Amino acid sequence: RIVAKHKGAEIAWVNFEQHDDKLEALDLSVQPASRRKGIATEMYKFARELGNDIAPSKLQTGMGKIFWSKKDHSQ
């Protein structure tokens, strides 16, 4: 689980699960006022910096599909 905070308040989080040799997000949430500011992208980037490969979930929501269509989050 990766959590993003602003001024001590949790504004976003993502839970990952290991599948084969990659992580997939089980769920991700960003508070509405904090959306479209790159927070989810930074959480994925942080997970990769820890040495993880990330794959898109096979159970994506509509918002998840949009997120993954904008750039390659697996590299």
Side-chain angles (χ1 to χ4, degrees):
R1 180 176 174 99
I2 296 173
V3 175
K5 293 184 176 184
H6 179 69
K7 297 183 180 180
E10 189 173 298
I11 59 169
W13 51 263
V14 59
N15 290 312
F16 289 104
E17 182 174 79
Q18 187 81 34
H19 283 274
D20 298 319
D21 61 343
K22 296 187 180 194
L23 293 182
E24 290 183 16
L26 287 175
D27 48 8
L28 179 143
S29 177
V30 178
Q31 294 294 319
S34 298
R35 291 180 185 159
R36 306 205 40 86
K37 296 180 180 178
I39 295 168
T41 298
E42 286 299 314
M43 291 189 297
Y44 274 65
K45 181 180 171 185
F46 180 70
R48 284 192 311 276
E49 288 172 356
L50 295 174
N52 299 292
D53 290 324
I54 302 174
S57 172
K58 294 168 184 63
L59 302 173
Q60 288 181 332
T61 63
M63 290 179 74
K65 289 176 184 177
I66 292 169
F67 176 75
W68 277 91
S69 72
K70 293 190 178 190
K71 48 183 110 166
D72 183 2
H73 297 286
S74 64
Q75 297 178 3

